[in-house]
């Protein structure tokens, strides 16, 4: 069967931006930026996005478009040996496992969306609400709905499923985000939040913060998960990869900034004297514990329906962002199974879906409901649940490793001239440009080096409880 393609460069950009824009941009970024130097963090983050992440992004997209294959197929075809094939396997298993825990978080968001729409803000803002929600039976109802939606999109294929969903959801997401920013700007004390977000404090940029900013930029662009290789394999040959990559990176940064202009003014209008050090580092507690309190407090001004509407609107926005990311990550194993085994999309979806549902249920039961899953292992001096183990191994550890191997693969195995030739299709100005020299040089030298350092330090920190750097 002929491989499906995105209908245009814009179709690809929206799908890839759908993957990139997720909970990371909308929630994790504002929390991190506000605590770590505001605009100074933003400047460093943007620098990392364009100077470190963009070359990796171009490498993934070109590799996908050149081979017209999933990551396993791409590494096998060009690598020509067992070792690279193993790396190919890692690039398929990693998104599958990250998909499992991302699915669970998306289900939580969907649950909060449903509850906001049903007007249950008081329950959501109660101190214990999140803990009891994630251990409730109704969670499985929400899980069934999210899985149904995700699979319905994926069943539609590249053009009628992934691209169509992105074409509908992404513009809605941008409009909703801007509408919410405008709304929070009208709240009292909102400007305190804007000030907090935008005043740069360069002395807060420690090594640890820089490491966090780079990791955030890297993950936020969905790098090293095989996603851009897979989506790249659906790009038309005459589309301009460099242009598309810049657009995706730019949109991702833009959404992160807008989200900062949404969340911080909301936080400050809720409590102008808030000490940001008291805000938790984790985006999970920000979104599921702190924000519901703000929505509830809005009832005083805009009433019960108004506050429920704003809360529902916000969770819908985050849900759209999470859904398009979830679709992208599950497409990687689906596409791999279709390519490698020649099965239909439906068969691939059903078999992978069954495995994924089983693992997602185990994840969902690992927050205290089932002792074995809740205290699965202990390392680095901490007891870890199944959810934590999946997160630590695949998200924290294997991602930088995959990124590092991808750079080495493209530059030293596939070779620079082949990579350049692929990018140059659809782009006459790349050959001989400064960008070409920078991309080739950085991918062969300091980018893999930095990723190697991050990988080693993550392993030491998480599994041995010893941070080697900070
Ligand atoms: N880019 C996503 C975010 O910022 C992260 C992600 C993408 C995670 C795709 C999983 C799958 O939230």
């Amino acid at each position: 069967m002929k491989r499906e393609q995105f209908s245009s460069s814009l179709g690809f950009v929206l799908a890839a931006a759908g993957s990139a824009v997720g909970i990371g941009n909308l929630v994790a970024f504002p929390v991190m930026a506000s605590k770590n130097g505001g605009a100074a963090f933003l400047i460093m983050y943007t620098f990392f996005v364009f100077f470190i992440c963009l070359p990796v992004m171009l490498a993934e997209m070109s590799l996908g478009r050149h081979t017209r294959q999933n990551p396993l197929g791409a590494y096998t075809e060009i690598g020509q040996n067992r070792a690279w094939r193993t790396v190919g396997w890692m690039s398929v298993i990693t998104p599958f496992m990250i998909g499992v825990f991302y699915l669970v978080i998306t289900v939580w968001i969907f649950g909060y969306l449903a509850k906001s729409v049903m007007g249950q803000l008081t329950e959501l803002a109660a101190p214990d609400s999140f803990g009891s929600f994630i251990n409730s039976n109704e969670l499985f109802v929400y899980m069934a709905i999210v899985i149904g939606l995700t699979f319905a999109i994926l069943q539609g294929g590249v053009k009628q499923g992934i691209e169509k969903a992105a074409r509908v959801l992404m513009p809605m997401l941008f409009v909703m985000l801007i509408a919410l920013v405008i709304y929070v700007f009208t709240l009292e004390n909102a400007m305190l939040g804007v000030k907090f977000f935008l005043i740069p404090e360069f002395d807060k940029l420690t090594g640890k913060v820089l490491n966090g900013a780079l990791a955030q930029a890297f993950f936020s662009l969905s790098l090293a998960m095989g996603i851009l290789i897979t989506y790249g394999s659906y790009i038309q040959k005459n589309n301009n990869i460099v242009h598309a990559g810049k657009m995706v990176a730019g949109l991702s940064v833009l959404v992160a900034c807008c989200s900062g202009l949404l969340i911080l003014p909301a936080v400050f209008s809720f409590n102008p004297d808030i000490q940001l050090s008291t805000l938790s580092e984790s985006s999970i507690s920000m979104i599921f514990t702190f924000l519901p309190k703000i929505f509830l407090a809005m009832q005083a001004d805009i009433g019960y329906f108004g506050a429920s509407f704003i809360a529902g609107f916000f969770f819908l926005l985050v849900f759209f962002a999470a859904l398009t990311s979830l679709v992208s990550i599950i497409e990687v194993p689906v596409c791999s199974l279709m390519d490698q085994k020649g099965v239909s999309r439906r068969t691939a979806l059903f078999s992978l879906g069954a495995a994924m549902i089983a693992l997602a249920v185990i994840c969902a039961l690992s927050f205290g409901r089932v002792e074995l899953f809740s205290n699965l292992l202990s390392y680095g001096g901490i007891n870890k649940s199944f959810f934590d183990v999946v997160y630590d191994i695949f998200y924290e550890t294997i991602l930088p490793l995959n990124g590092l191997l991808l750079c080495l693969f493209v530059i030293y195995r596939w070779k620079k001239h082949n990579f350049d030739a692929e990018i140059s299709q659809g782009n006459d100005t790349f050959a001989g440009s400064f960008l070409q020299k920078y991309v080739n040089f950085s991918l062969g030298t300091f980018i893999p080096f930095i990723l190697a350092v991050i990988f080693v330090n993550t392993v030491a920190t998480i599994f041995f409880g010893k941070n080697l750097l900070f």
Side-chain angles (χ1 to χ4, degrees), residues 264-418:
L264 287 159
V267 167
F268 275 85
S269 76
F270 171 66
N271 178 0
D273 300 319
I274 194 153
Q275 293 297 316
L276 280 178
S277 54
T278 59
L279 275 185
S280 148
E281 198 64 68
S282 98
S283 43
I284 296 291
S285 69
M286 177 74 181
I287 183 168
F288 296 112
T289 313
F290 198 74
L291 290 179
K293 286 189 200 144
I294 300 184
F295 295 132
L296 184 67
M298 285 177 176
Q299 282 192 356
D301 286 331
I302 53 176
Y304 173 78
F305 286 107
S308 303
F309 177 78
I310 296 287
F313 203 74
F314 174 78
F315 282 112
L316 187 63
L317 165 76
V318 183
F319 177 64
F320 283 172
L323 186 63
T324 45
S325 297
L326 190 59
V327 162
S328 73
I329 206 158
I330 302 181
E331 174 65 9
V332 180
V334 169
C335 164
S336 306
L337 197 55
M338 284 166 57
D339 286 354
Q340 303 298 122
K341 296 275 176 228
V343 300
S344 69
R345 187 167 269 279
R346 178 174 289 270
T347 312
L349 268 171
F350 274 95
S351 40
L352 286 166
M356 196 166 235
I357 291 169
L359 290 168
V361 168
I362 297 181
C363 258
L365 294 175
S366 75
F367 300 98
R369 273 190 122 173
V370 175
E371 171 57 27
L372 172 67
F373 303 145
S374 306
N375 282 309
L376 189 68
L377 291 174
S378 174
Y379 47 76
I382 306 173
N383 274 351
K384 302 277 187 167
S385 67
F386 181 77
F387 184 91
D388 297 332
V389 172
V390 173
Y391 184 89
D392 284 350
I393 294 185
F394 292 97
Y395 202 74
E396 295 271 14
T397 314
I398 300 205
L399 275 194
L401 179 62
N402 278 351
L404 152 72
L405 293 170
L406 175 97
C407 298
L408 300 179
F409 182 72
V410 166
I411 298 296
Y412 299 109
R413 183 79 197 185
W414 187 27
K415 301 273 190 290
K416 287 177 191 170
H417 62 274
N418 293 318

Side-chain angles (χ1 to χ4, degrees), residues 17-26 45 95 98-99 101-102 216 218-223 225 227 252 321-322 324-330 395:
S19 175
V21 171
I23 307 165
N25 305 57
L26 287 176
Y45 178 83
I98 292 179
F101 87 75
Y102 209 79
Q216 170 69 16
F218 202 80
F219 303 140
S220 195
L221 291 179
S222 306
L223 300 180
M225 305 190 207
I227 294 175
S252 173
T324 45
S325 297
L326 190 59
V327 162
S328 73
I329 206 158
I330 302 181
Y395 202 74

